[in-house]
Amino acid sequence: MTPVSSHSPHGQAPLRTVQVLGGGNAGSSAHVRSLATGLVARGVRVTVCAPVEADHAYDFTGAGAEHVHVPRSSDPASVAALRQACTHADLVHAHGLHASFRAVLALSGRHTPLVVTWHDRAYAEGARAHFLRLLERRVVKTAAVVLGTTSTLVDRARRTGARDARLAAVALPGPREAFEPEDPDRLRPKVRAELGATGRPLLMAVGSLDRHRGYDTLLDAARVWRRLDPVPLVAIAGEGPLRAELQQRIEDEQLPVRLIGRRDDATELLAAADLALLPSGGESRSVLAQEALHARVPLVAAACGAVPELVGDAAELVPAGDAEALAHAVVRLLDDPERQELLRDKGLRQAATWPTEDETVAQVLSVYDELTQPRPLI
């Protein structure tokens, strides 16, 4: 059934929006793809400004949006390309700090409303941290509305000077039809054999190999797991600047850990695991945590950031940075099938409380409606 749009009534032009992505982490890119699909279905014209690699990965054009290649850089050429793409927009919606700052520059001197979604907090130290705070202040004071994916981000936006900051409804997008995973029960033995986890527990972590992800803590915990029989295998899917350093530690300490690189089948890998591990709350709405609960995979996670708010009592939570607590929580859970089953059931109930994609699109449309006036036909 084709949705009937309330955004193209007789005598009124369709709402024209521009979605702006930077490099685009997995969460924000998937969110924009989901938004584009829902908005287009409701009669909204959507242009996505993002690096061409993001369109290849998330197929914004396949969702019915127009894609305009805008490099991640904030150099004058990129800002000019974004400014051109926003020329006829009724509203611009930027995702993430760097994309939002480029949108601020591109809209300078115009009265086009700017909506900003903060998906994560930008991490930095020293002089760069001060620079990022300046960017945050510039962005939130320019934006008409700031949407934060967690209450912590909403509070941060308000403290930084936002005129209007609200909690965003952000759904975990379902797999696109062309990429629907195969039957997980049938795939499970194949995936485990490929990873070398036949006859031993498989512990799965997913995320870029960056300092704030807590992988040092995870490797410290893996020392304890070497003493188990059978020894669990920890598989980490992701790439990043720490790869060489982590790999050196794995080899030097003979840890039962494999770095398997960036994977397009992370959802299938996770579904084949005995436990999912989230050693840091670096993401505001962790995709790993959400997918683990949806897939009925027990989760052991650091109790920091927005993780407790996201998972409630449906995961084993341990203090962030405490390798001993992480190690022993995993050991206890592997030895307690009843607790595992309880967490699987709690996970499904918790996941049912999260916003749906329709609810996410509806909230965004209500914000757009507040900020735009009736648009006469051109």
Side-chain angles (χ1 to χ4, degrees):
M1 179 177 176
T2 302
V4 177
S5 170
S6 61
H7 289 267
S8 303
H10 180 69
Q12 187 171 318
L15 181 68
R16 298 166 298 187
T17 71
V18 173
Q19 307 287 323
V20 186
L21 270 172
N25 64 30
S28 58
S29 298
H31 174 61
V32 169
R33 209 284 178 179
S34 175
L35 271 186
T37 301
L39 292 171
V40 169
R42 290 160 176 80
V44 178
R45 290 176 57 183
V46 178
T47 299
V48 177
C49 292
V52 68
E53 300 81 17
D55 187 49
H56 290 160
Y58 292 92
D59 192 22
F60 304 119
T61 50
E66 178 187 359
H67 171 252
V68 175
H69 170 60
V70 176
R72 190 178 183 191
S73 168
S74 291
D75 62 39
S78 295
V79 173
L82 181 56
R83 185 174 177 84
Q84 176 63 30
C86 294
T87 299
H88 300 295
D90 297 303
L91 180 142
V92 174
H93 189 166
H95 301 263
L97 178 59
H98 295 285
S100 301
F101 181 65
R102 281 195 293 281
V104 168
L105 296 178
L107 295 176
S108 178
R110 295 180 178 173
H111 299 292
T112 309
L114 174 64
V115 176
V116 166
T117 295
W118 279 1
H119 295 266
D120 295 299
R121 179 182 172 185
Y123 288 87
E125 297 177 356
R128 180 161 174 76
H130 176 68
F131 173 67
L132 291 180
R133 285 195 296 272
L134 293 177
L135 292 191
E136 285 182 347
R137 193 170 298 119
R138 174 79 181 274
V139 166
V140 301
K141 289 187 175 181
T142 303
V145 174
V146 177
L147 299 172
T149 58
T150 68
S151 54
T152 301
L153 288 172
V154 173
D155 291 342
R156 183 178 180 85
R158 288 172 178 158
R159 290 195 307 270
T160 308
R163 290 175 283 168
D164 186 342
R166 312 178 193 181
L167 187 63
V170 177
L172 176 68
R176 302 199 292 278
E177 190 172 325
F179 297 95
E180 287 283 1
E182 298 180 51
D183 176 18
D185 290 334
R186 192 172 67 80
L187 271 180
R188 184 180 170 92
K190 175 183 173 184
V191 169
R192 294 173 71 93
E194 178 208 333
L195 295 177
T198 300
R200 62 194 294 201
L202 174 60
L203 314 180
M204 194 74 210
V206 181
S208 58
L209 305 183
D210 293 304
R211 188 73 59 189
H212 69 273
R213 295 283 186 174
Y215 290 127
D216 283 340
T217 301
L218 180 55
L219 295 194
D220 288 343
R223 294 174 183 162
V224 174
W225 303 330
R226 290 180 304 189
R227 302 196 293 266
L228 300 181
D229 183 19
V231 178
L233 173 67
V234 182
I236 302 175
E239 278 296 350
L242 287 188
R243 183 182 180 94
E245 178 182 324
L246 295 175
Q247 186 62 47
Q248 191 65 53
R249 272 200 64 187
I250 291 166
E251 294 172 5
D252 290 348
E253 301 173 35
Q254 297 184 323
L255 299 175
V257 179
R258 281 191 62 191
L259 304 180
I260 60 176
R262 184 179 288 109
R263 299 286 293 248
D264 294 330
D265 59 346
T267 301
E268 289 85 347
L269 297 177
L270 185 61
D274 295 283
L275 302 180
L277 305 180
L278 184 62
S280 172
E283 292 179 270
S284 291
R285 288 188 69 86
S286 166
V287 174
L288 170 72
Q290 294 178 79
E291 290 188 337
L293 269 59
H294 273 297
R296 301 185 79 249
V297 177
L299 173 68
V300 181
C304 63
V307 172
E309 180 181 342
L310 180 66
V311 303
D313 66 350
E316 292 286 357
L317 298 179
V318 299
D322 189 333
E324 184 176 358
L326 174 61
H328 291 306
V330 166
V331 172
R332 287 194 305 271
L333 197 51
L334 287 175
D335 286 339
D336 191 345
E338 290 185 3
R339 176 66 178 165
Q340 292 180 41
E341 191 61 26
L342 178 63
L343 288 178
R344 292 187 186 102
D345 293 340
K346 284 187 172 184
L348 285 182
R349 289 197 293 272
Q350 180 69 12
T353 69
W354 297 333
T356 65
E357 289 187 86
D358 279 346
E359 289 167 344
T360 300
V361 174
Q363 185 205 34
V364 166
L365 272 177
S366 71
V367 172
Y368 292 178
D369 283 342
E370 289 178 35
L371 299 176
T372 56
Q373 298 298 316
R375 299 163 299 283
L377 286 171
I378 297 173

